[in-house]
């Protein structure tokens, strides 16, 4: 054989051995008396499960063999309607499940660390007790087991490895103050992680809602603005508030079904209390002014009917922290929210 060819074959053989040793192998053993499909998935850009591999179990046993990702990645192992979290990392990983022993993932730095709580003596006792427990006892045991898992994950939030912090946080789902404080650190460490982005957006939405609630808290004074009637006349909100006992600021839009439904309840109330000093100041935030005009004619509002879009001049949404519609705010004659 040509010497160069022999050397090339040896290099290819050695290369093949080294590639094989880096593969991730997941071996499963589930004590269930039937075969089933097993799906391995990760969270995609749309925050939905993206299937990366499937296989069939034979006698409860299954196997995945794949190239690991560049970075350790949380995945879901799904079968028979259940989803089990697992970390894709280099090395061999085993997943065992039985009705009496529960589930246990072993293999790899991250899997061993995150799943070690499952092998605790108390967790094993809980699983052994579940088979003979009544409904109330079963629920109590499952809550205890969940508490053990949560305490384990909380303990990992301060780990030096950023991926351990990330996986522990995602398992906790941000239910703790410590976990939410960790969000900023995780955002810097994992700026492209879609689940962390979702938590950041959720936190920002919660912050905006909290700030909005402060603006319309009982006891606050009105923030004045102007709006335009259908015939183009500009009216100031404060002028109507100060001359009535009570003024209801109603923020709505023609496309908002709950708004339209609410509007139907107003005529009898308005007819009953108008002469006693009650006024309704209904302000449409339709971007398309013509749609507001059509809706106004359909509803036939006898009260003040004006238009002021979100983001426009004197934006009522910004002034009063409106995050959803319909929104009702009741003022007394002093301009105080009651």
């Amino acid at each position: 054989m040509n010497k160069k060819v022999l050397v090339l074959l040896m290099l290819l053989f050695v290369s093949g051995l080294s590639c094989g040793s880096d593969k991730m192998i997941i071996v499963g053993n589930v004590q269930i008396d039937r075969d089933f499909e097993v799906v391995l998935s990760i969270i995609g850009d749309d925050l939905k499960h993206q299937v990366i591999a499937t296989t069939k179990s034979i006698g409860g046993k299954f196997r995945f063999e794949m190239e690991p990702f560049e970075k350790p990645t949380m995945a879901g192992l799904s079968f028979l309607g259940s989803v089990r979290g697992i970390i894709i990392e280099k090395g061999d990983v085993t997943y065992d499940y039985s009705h009496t022993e529960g589930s246990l993932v072993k293999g790899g730095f991250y899997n061993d660390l995150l799943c070690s709580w499952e092998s605790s003596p108390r967790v094993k006792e809980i699983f052994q007790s579940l088979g003979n427990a009544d409904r109330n006892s079963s629920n109590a045991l499952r809550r205890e087991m969940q508490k053990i898992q949560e305490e384990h994950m909380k303990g990992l939030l301060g780990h030096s490895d950023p991926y351990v912090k990330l996986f522990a946080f995602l398992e906790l789902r941000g239910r703790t103050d410590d976990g939410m404080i960790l969000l900023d650190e995780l955002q810097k460490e994992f700026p492209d992680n879609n689940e962390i982005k979702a938590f950041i957006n959720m936190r920002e939405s919660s912050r905006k809602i909290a700030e909005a609630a402060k603006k319309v808290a009982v006891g606050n004074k009105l923030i004045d603005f102007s709006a335009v009637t259908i015939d183009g006349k500009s009216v100031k909100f404060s002028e109507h508030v100060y001359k009535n006992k009570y003024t209801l600021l109603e923020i709505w839009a023609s496309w908002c079904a709950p708004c339209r439904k609410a509007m139907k309840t107003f005529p009898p109330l308005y007819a009953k209390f108008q002469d006693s000093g009650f006024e309704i100041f209904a302000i449409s935030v339709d971007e398309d002014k013509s749609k507001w005009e059509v809706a106004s004619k359909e509803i036939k509002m006898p009260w003040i009917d004006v238009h002021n879009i979100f983001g426009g001049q004197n934006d009522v949404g910004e002034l009063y922290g409106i995050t959803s519609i319909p929104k009702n705010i009741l003022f007394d004659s002093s301009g105080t929210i009651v």
Side-chain angles (χ1 to χ4, degrees):
M1 181 182 289
N2 184 294
K3 188 175 181 180
K4 289 183 178 179
V5 174
L6 180 61
V7 171
L8 179 59
L9 288 172
M10 290 179 66
L11 287 172
L12 289 172
F13 176 71
V14 172
S15 174
L17 288 177
S18 62
C19 286
S21 63
D22 285 340
K23 286 185 179 293
M24 178 188 184
I25 297 174
I26 304 174
V27 177
N29 183 19
V30 180
Q31 293 184 18
I32 296 176
D33 296 331
R34 63 188 174 102
D35 297 338
F36 48 86
E37 183 180 54
V38 187
V39 177
L40 189 63
S41 62
I42 60 173
I43 298 296
D45 292 341
D46 57 358
L47 295 179
K48 295 181 180 179
H49 287 279
Q50 175 185 329
V51 177
I52 58 174
T54 60
T55 190
K56 293 278 189 179
S57 76
I58 300 175
K61 300 182 185 299
F62 61 87
R63 175 188 174 94
F64 288 99
E65 184 172 331
M66 59 187 292
E67 295 291 341
F69 297 157
E70 290 183 8
K71 301 174 182 178
T73 303
M74 181 171 280
L77 200 61
S78 308
F79 58 90
L80 299 176
S82 65
V83 181
R84 164 69 216 216
I86 195 168
I87 309 301
I88 297 178
E89 55 179 315
K90 291 182 180 179
D92 296 346
V93 176
T94 61
Y95 171 73
D96 294 297
Y97 175 82
S98 73
H99 292 298
T100 56
E101 296 293 322
S103 63
L104 180 61
V105 175
K106 285 186 177 181
F109 172 74
Y110 296 103
N111 283 303
D112 282 347
L113 187 58
L114 266 79
C115 302
S116 60
W117 67 275
E118 295 176 317
S119 59
S120 71
R122 180 53 188 157
V123 170
K124 296 299 180 186
E125 288 177 5
I126 290 174
F127 261 101
Q128 290 170 4
S129 302
L130 280 172
N132 299 318
D134 58 28
R135 183 175 180 178
N136 289 336
S137 299
S138 176
N139 290 338
L141 289 169
R142 292 184 188 281
R143 285 194 297 269
E144 182 184 352
M145 188 162 57
Q146 183 180 15
K147 184 69 174 177
I148 292 171
Q149 180 191 19
E150 287 181 0
E151 291 303 319
H152 177 70
M153 297 303 166
K154 286 179 186 177
L156 296 177
L157 293 177
H159 199 278
S160 59
D161 187 302
Y163 281 99
V164 173
K165 293 180 183 179
L166 173 66
F167 298 145
F169 174 83
L170 293 177
E171 284 294 311
L172 272 174
R173 295 298 175 191
R175 286 189 293 263
T176 65
D177 292 337
D178 290 342
M180 296 309 286
I181 290 171
L182 187 63
L183 253 184
D184 293 325
E185 181 182 337
L186 291 174
Q187 184 185 31
K188 292 177 182 177
E189 194 73 44
F190 305 98
D192 298 324
N193 185 283
N194 293 309
E195 290 179 276
I196 294 301
K197 287 180 183 178
F199 274 109
I200 293 292
N201 291 337
M202 189 188 309
R203 187 180 65 177
E204 182 61 18
S205 295
S206 298
R207 185 192 66 78
K208 287 181 178 180
I209 291 172
E211 289 299 317
K214 292 179 183 178
K215 288 188 175 184
V216 293
V218 171
N220 283 5
K221 290 291 184 178
L222 71 78
I223 306 169
D224 206 6
F225 63 89
S226 298
V228 181
T229 62
I230 286 181
D231 58 10
K233 181 183 177 182
S234 178
V235 295
K236 290 187 70 173
F237 178 55
S238 59
E239 292 177 355
H240 292 276
V241 170
Y242 294 141
K243 70 181 183 182
N244 290 289
K245 287 184 178 180
Y246 293 100
T247 302
L248 179 69
L249 177 60
E250 166 68 11
I251 301 168
W252 70 290
S254 65
W255 47 262
C256 168
C259 298
R260 301 288 289 263
K261 185 176 180 180
M263 284 291 189
K264 293 179 180 179
T265 68
F266 288 165
L269 294 174
Y270 190 68
K272 183 176 181 179
F273 297 109
Q274 181 188 13
D275 292 340
S276 300
F278 174 64
E279 185 59 84
I280 297 176
F281 197 96
I283 181 164
S284 161
V285 293
D286 277 282
E287 290 189 14
D288 188 336
K289 188 177 178 181
S290 64
K291 291 183 178 179
W292 158 60
E293 293 172 344
V294 171
S296 293
K297 292 175 182 177
E298 290 175 355
I299 297 171
K300 298 178 181 178
M301 291 182 267
W303 46 81
I304 300 163
D305 174 24
V306 292
H307 182 252
N308 177 306
I309 64 170
F310 286 159
Q313 190 176 12
N314 293 316
D315 180 359
V316 69
E318 182 68 26
L319 294 176
Y320 286 96
I322 307 303
T323 57
S324 63
I325 57 175
K327 184 70 175 180
N328 308 301
I329 311 170
L330 186 66
F331 294 82
D332 65 15
S333 60
S334 70
T336 302
I337 296 176
V338 296

